Amino acid sequence: MTIAVVFDSAGTLLRTYRVAKEISAGKIIEEIETTTLTFDDPDRILVLLHVHSEDVIKADKDELLSAFLCRKKIEFGISCGRRVITQDEVADILYHEEYAAVGDLQETIRSVWNRCSHIKPVIAINSGVILNVRSRMIEFAITAGGSPFPGAKETITRLHQMGIATFIASGDRGSKLERMGDYLGIPHDRIFGVATPTMKAEIVRRLKDNYDTVLMVGDGINDLRAMREADIAILSEQQPGERIEALEAAANYTIHELNEVICIIEEILRSDPGKTVHI
């Protein structure tokens, strides 16, 4: 039989440290779950900025963030939200917003750097914003940084040795995910970046056409649709934090360390001794 495993990245493959700045209150919020924060309001959209952290740090902190994004021609990707919205609608808000400053995003980047700079290897640092479509404002500036959980590389290696195809579907920026894929040993053509919850579910659906069994491993609300679509849903609780009941209800298995995925696949194969895994 053929088996594919789709992994989320932040919180699933990566131990991730997230920081948000609430613009209106001028308050830094540490260890925040950005997808949950986004889904708290039906008009919020989580937007990933395709920007290098050093470019943000070097900019004038008092410059409007929208002006900086326009001046540097920074592109973006829509990561998640509870409503359907087009790229043009997001761009109209993002590139014309008149409240958030570059300094707001700088604060979140520095906070993540201070927390994660000593960790090796740091595979992914991503920044973005949470827009509110109703108020047409940037409510939060956000940055996340992380490094692979202990045993992540060994787990992927073992899965490949077993003939299991591994994929990454994540809301993170593609270039950062490819660097992580290089470290873990996952080919670039099996990595899907800036993937919304709907896109993750579609990726799983397409893989089911080519594999006998598809597993989805995730940890957050943005993984819920993909978990429901998968033949087997695995909820990872290795990253500390609360999970909504719907995630627990959707999960066939709950794990606390990534290498438990290997045990689950071995259990699947033992349930039918006549099955063999092949690529």
Side-chain angles (χ1 to χ4, degrees):
M1 70 182 300
T2 53
I3 298 178
V5 183
V6 183
F7 292 94
D8 174 47
S9 62
T12 301
L13 289 171
L14 296 178
R15 170 61 173 97
T16 303
Y17 175 65
R18 302 179 181 94
V19 174
K21 181 176 181 182
E22 186 177 359
I23 307 299
S24 62
K27 180 175 67 174
I28 290 288
I29 310 170
E30 298 184 338
E31 293 283 22
I32 187 71
E33 174 50 66
T34 51
T35 53
T36 301
L37 184 62
T38 302
F39 278 86
D40 280 345
D41 187 316
D43 290 314
R44 287 177 180 168
I45 304 293
L46 177 58
V47 178
L48 191 65
L49 301 175
H50 298 175
V51 63
H52 293 289
S53 301
E54 286 144 357
D55 290 339
V56 177
I57 293 297
K58 292 175 183 176
D60 179 358
K61 67 181 180 63
D62 296 320
E63 182 179 13
L64 283 175
L65 183 56
S66 57
F68 168 78
L69 298 175
C70 290
R71 178 170 60 82
K72 301 290 284 187
K73 298 181 180 179
I74 303 300
E75 297 181 350
F76 66 89
I78 300 171
S79 183
C80 68
R82 287 170 58 183
R83 61 180 293 170
V84 177
I85 190 168
T86 67
Q87 293 278 121
D88 288 343
E89 289 175 300
V90 169
D92 188 50
I93 299 172
L94 183 65
Y95 295 137
H96 297 92
E97 206 265 359
E98 298 184 350
Y99 192 72
V102 171
D104 295 315
L105 190 56
Q106 287 174 341
E107 286 187 54
T108 66
I109 292 171
R110 288 193 179 99
S111 181
V112 170
W113 276 359
N114 290 340
R115 180 70 174 264
C116 298
S117 60
H118 67 285
I119 301 174
K120 301 296 182 183
V122 174
I123 298 297
I125 294 181
N126 294 290
S127 290
V129 297
I130 297 177
L131 298 177
N132 191 298
V133 179
R134 183 180 63 254
S135 64
R136 297 183 62 81
M137 293 176 63
I138 294 174
E139 283 195 78
F140 299 89
I142 57 172
T143 298
S147 60
F149 281 114
K153 185 173 183 177
E154 292 78 8
T155 296
I156 299 299
T157 298
R158 178 59 184 140
L159 290 174
H160 291 171
Q161 290 170 344
M162 295 170 66
I164 309 301
T166 60
F167 297 80
I168 299 175
S170 170
D172 291 339
R173 186 151 54 102
S175 60
K176 299 292 186 181
L177 291 174
E178 288 175 357
R179 286 177 54 201
M180 182 174 69
D182 291 340
Y183 172 77
L184 295 174
I186 298 176
H188 290 189
D189 62 358
R190 293 182 175 182
I191 296 172
F192 302 91
V194 197
T196 65
T198 300
M199 291 170 61
K200 288 186 180 185
E202 178 60 25
I203 290 163
V204 169
R205 190 176 300 116
R206 292 202 309 264
L207 289 175
K208 287 168 69 176
D209 292 334
N210 298 303
Y211 293 88
D212 298 319
T213 303
V214 177
L215 293 76
M216 177 67 200
V217 187
D219 77 306
I221 190 172
N222 56 331
D223 302 312
L224 181 58
R225 292 182 186 178
M227 290 172 66
R228 287 172 171 168
E229 184 66 37
D231 296 306
I232 296 174
I234 301 175
L235 175 61
S236 173
E237 295 188 341
Q238 194 164 3
Q239 173 101 12
E242 295 182 3
R243 270 80 185 178
I244 62 171
E245 291 183 6
L247 277 170
E248 296 175 351
N252 302 104
Y253 296 88
T254 298
I255 62 174
H256 297 89
E257 292 188 5
L258 202 60
N259 60 13
E260 293 175 55
V261 173
I262 297 169
C263 300
I264 291 169
I265 292 176
E266 290 174 341
E267 181 180 324
I268 293 169
L269 296 174
R270 282 196 302 270
S271 68
D272 188 343
K275 292 180 180 179
T276 59
V277 180
H278 58 87
I279 300 177

